[in-house]
Amino acid sequence: MRWLSLRLRLMLVFGLVALAAAVSASAIAYWLNRDAVLTRTQDAALDDFSKSLKEATDPLPAVPTCPELQDAADRMADNSQKYEVLLIARTEGGGPCTAASADDLLTLKTVPEALRSAVDKKRAVAGSNTSPYHLYWQRITLKGTPYLIGGARVNGGGPTGYMLKSLETERQDLNSLAWSLGIATALALIGSALLAQAAAATVLRPVQRLGEAAHRLGEGHLDTRLEVSGTDELANLSRTFNRAAERLEKRVEELSAREASSRRFVADMSHELRTPLTAITAVTEVLEEETDALDPMIAPAVQLVVSETRRLNDLVENLMEVTRFDAGTARLVLDDVDVADQVTACIDARAWLDAVELDAERGIMARLDPRRLDVILANLIGNALKHGGSPVRVSVRPEDDDLLIRVRDHGPGIPEDVLPHVFDRFYKASASRPRSEGSGLGLSIALENAHIHGGEITADNSPDGGAVFTLRLPMDASRLSEPDQPDQGGSEGGGQGGGQDSTEHGSTQHGSTQHGGRDAGQDGPDEGSER
């Protein structure tokens, strides 16, 4: 019954209950009426036959002749009960004489053997039994018609008589009664269906409204409320739902306000940090250029300040990018991209050509955001180089309407307990190594950039060893872009590019290719670094 709706199940239950009650009542009524009709008919016929047999045979001589016996049978058959008579007696010659009011219907062969034996059986007169012979009856069917047949032997000597009464009228009456009871049962079923419909309208409509309200609440319409009327259980349930929805709405408003406040704090903090970081970065670049001229005791400290300043700059840019994603202000700036050229440019800009094997055919065109695709590739390839093992293999394949990019390393792979968390923000696979060179946001940002394209990134271990990151993007992300806001996307993209991509490229121009590789890899490798 699970595939039936509650309304149909309610109607089915009502129908079964009504059917069981109607059939039981009809069967009881039918059998009671049948017993009453047949008992009344047979009692009346047998009483009349018993009296008529005595009245018709008393005037007969001890040994009647056949005409006298026939005359008595005809007189007995002329009765209000409309039964036929058969009389049997011994004649003067000792032979039997049989007289029947209807030779074609009632003969000695018509009488069942068991009934004849019972009629002819003489019983001892003693106690409550005052007569040696008694009246016996039986219901039989002849040629499809029901009959009542009875017989008795005259006490004190005399003929034996049998009567045969048709019960066709009673059968017709009982058939009419059965039809009437059947119609009553059908009407009871119809009535039960109407009653079930009324019950469904009364009981199930509030339940349906409650289900619809719960569905709307689940879709985020927290202002959903139910109209409450009455004091029954359903009304109490509606009140409980309204109270729960009201508390949920207040709780969500509080959490949303806290989340918005947190996002504003991170964004404001990141923006405020950019100004001093710009000055500090300029100073560190000057110090880095003068490293060879510094005192050997001071040079390591200068290098540490330079690397940590770059790391802090990357962290601020990543936090700003995460804030954009959380606030929903990140936009796509689409362009037609040759994917093989884009991957090659990403690898070349970070001086990874010697450590990366590229398997990509030129001419695979996709309409994507090239800056965001570069961020995704830089994080995935950098993560594989830093925490996996060389060589890193990047393969590009079109698959139906999607673009499939796989980045595989030859390292030890990712532990099974770490796999579900590799894209979590600030996730550290080992509590004993909480600090690493990366910010712990790179893979998370890469995943968000894939999602904004309508794609996905998955992480797994290759059967041959090493980790495999699979990037799936639509070949055309136009349906996800908002052409009415291109400036926002451009300015937002420029902010990220200026923070992350320009830093990488700038470092390459300075000749410090190690920074370019580290910066791209550290955006997300904290997860992999603990493998």
Side-chain angles (χ1 to χ4, degrees):
M1 294 179 65
R2 289 180 294 180
W3 61 272
L4 294 174
S5 67
L6 186 58
R7 180 184 298 271
L8 291 179
R9 278 186 280 173
L10 183 62
M11 295 181 67
L12 182 59
V13 170
F14 267 82
L16 291 176
V17 172
L19 180 63
V23 169
S24 300
S26 297
I28 294 173
Y30 178 80
W31 286 108
L32 290 176
N33 280 275
R34 179 180 181 274
D35 185 68
V37 168
L38 293 179
T39 300
R40 183 176 61 251
T41 300
Q42 70 187 22
D43 287 350
L46 292 175
D47 289 344
D48 186 83
F49 170 72
S50 179
K51 294 177 181 179
S52 179
L53 179 62
K54 178 174 178 57
E55 293 174 356
T57 57
D58 279 349
L60 294 177
V63 182
T65 62
C66 283
E68 291 175 336
L69 199 62
Q70 182 65 50
D71 183 61
D74 292 337
R75 289 198 311 272
M76 290 180 65
D78 185 16
N79 58 77
S80 59
Q81 296 296 326
K82 298 180 181 180
Y83 54 79
E84 303 298 333
V85 177
L86 173 66
L87 295 178
I88 304 172
R90 295 284 180 179
T91 61
E92 292 182 354
C97 178
T98 303
S101 60
D103 295 335
D104 57 339
L105 182 62
L106 180 59
T107 63
L108 193 58
K109 293 181 179 180
T110 306
V111 182
E113 181 65 28
L115 181 62
R116 281 186 288 171
S117 299
V119 169
D120 292 337
K121 184 178 181 180
K122 186 176 182 180
R123 301 180 182 275
V125 178
S128 59
N129 184 30
T130 59
S131 302
Y133 298 102
H134 295 271
L135 175 65
Y136 296 92
W137 59 270
Q138 185 177 347
R139 285 195 288 268
I140 62 174
T141 301
L142 298 177
K143 298 180 181 180
T145 303
Y147 287 93
L148 172 67
I149 186 169
R153 187 167 183 174
V154 178
N155 290 299
T160 302
Y162 293 97
M163 55 84 68
L164 184 68
K165 176 178 174 56
S166 173
L167 299 177
E168 180 64 24
T169 301
E170 285 72 17
R171 182 171 70 174
Q172 292 177 357
D173 292 341
L174 292 175
N175 288 340
S176 298
L177 176 63
W179 275 105
S180 300
L181 293 175
I183 294 173
T185 301
L187 292 177
L189 286 177
I190 296 174
S192 68
L194 296 177
L195 183 61
Q197 184 66 21
T202 304
V203 178
L204 298 184
R205 188 176 292 116
V207 175
Q208 183 179 7
R209 287 199 298 265
L210 181 62
E212 293 173 353
H215 181 71
R216 290 196 301 272
L217 191 65
E219 290 181 341
H221 302 286
L222 301 181
D223 58 343
T224 302
R225 298 293 185 273
L226 290 171
E227 294 183 4
V228 181
S229 60
T231 58
D232 56 10
E233 290 80 358
L234 292 174
N236 292 334
L237 181 60
S238 299
R239 292 188 184 93
T240 302
F241 175 86
N242 288 342
R243 288 194 296 268
E246 183 177 357
R247 287 195 294 267
L248 178 62
E249 184 178 16
K250 291 181 179 179
R251 184 61 176 168
V252 170
E253 288 177 354
E254 293 175 359
L255 293 177
S256 298
R258 292 179 184 178
E259 183 181 3
S261 177
S262 299
R263 285 200 301 266
R264 285 194 302 270
F265 172 76
V266 173
D268 294 343
M269 179 188 67
S270 300
H271 281 288
E272 291 297 327
L273 287 175
R274 291 186 71 178
T275 300
L277 275 176
T278 302
I280 295 174
T281 302
V283 173
T284 56
E285 289 177 354
V286 173
L287 291 175
E288 187 177 23
E289 292 176 356
E290 300 295 332
T291 302
D292 295 337
L294 295 175
D295 188 315
M297 298 296 292
I298 302 176
V302 172
Q303 289 293 340
L304 178 61
V305 170
V306 170
S307 61
E308 289 301 315
T309 300
R310 287 173 176 167
R311 182 171 179 269
L312 179 59
N313 189 70
D314 295 338
L315 176 60
V316 170
E317 294 297 336
N318 287 338
L319 287 174
M320 293 182 65
E321 183 74 353
V322 168
T323 302
R324 294 186 189 102
F325 283 121
D326 290 344
T329 59
R331 298 289 183 269
L332 292 175
V333 181
L334 300 179
D335 195 3
D336 293 325
V337 176
D338 187 314
V339 181
D341 290 345
Q342 182 72 21
V343 177
T344 302
C346 175
I347 297 172
D348 183 51
R350 295 158 178 83
W352 292 338
L353 290 176
D354 295 337
V356 178
E357 297 178 356
L358 177 60
D359 179 14
E361 296 181 3
R362 295 180 60 86
I364 301 176
M365 303 299 296
R367 186 162 182 78
L368 303 167
D369 187 328
R371 186 192 66 80
R372 294 188 183 278
L373 179 59
D374 183 79
V375 171
I376 298 173
L377 294 172
N379 279 286
L380 295 182
I381 298 173
N383 185 77
L385 286 171
K386 184 173 183 180
H387 306 292
S390 298
V392 172
R393 183 177 178 83
V394 180
S395 62
V396 180
R397 294 286 184 274
E399 185 176 284
D400 297 331
D401 295 331
D402 293 337
L403 174 66
L404 210 62
I405 301 178
R406 287 190 175 90
V407 179
R408 180 195 168 193
D409 60 49
H410 289 76
I414 305 175
E416 292 297 329
D417 59 332
V418 175
L419 272 175
H421 305 286
V422 293
F423 295 104
D424 293 352
R425 297 174 183 175
F426 300 108
Y427 177 75
K428 304 291 182 179
S430 175
S432 63
R433 298 177 60 188
R435 175 176 175 81
S436 64
E437 296 181 1
S439 65
L441 293 173
L443 288 181
S444 174
I445 292 176
L447 182 63
E448 294 290 351
N449 279 301
H451 286 169
I452 200 174
H453 280 89
E456 186 60 70
I457 304 178
T458 57
D460 205 349
N461 290 313
S462 172
D464 299 326
V468 180
F469 286 83
T470 303
L471 168 65
R472 182 182 294 272
L473 298 176
M475 297 293 288
D476 187 356
S478 299
R479 62 184 180 84
L480 297 173
S481 64
E482 296 187 20
D484 56 330
Q485 297 178 345
D487 294 335
Q488 275 191 358
S491 62
E492 181 275 326
Q496 173 62 12
Q500 181 171 333
D501 296 346
S502 64
T503 302
E504 293 162 357
H505 297 169
S507 63
T508 304
Q509 292 170 1
H510 285 129
S512 180
T513 59
Q514 191 66 20
H515 170 244
R518 176 174 54 80
D519 180 63
Q522 77 184 18
D523 286 341
D526 283 343
E527 298 82 355
S529 64
E530 312 304 331
R531 288 193 239 153

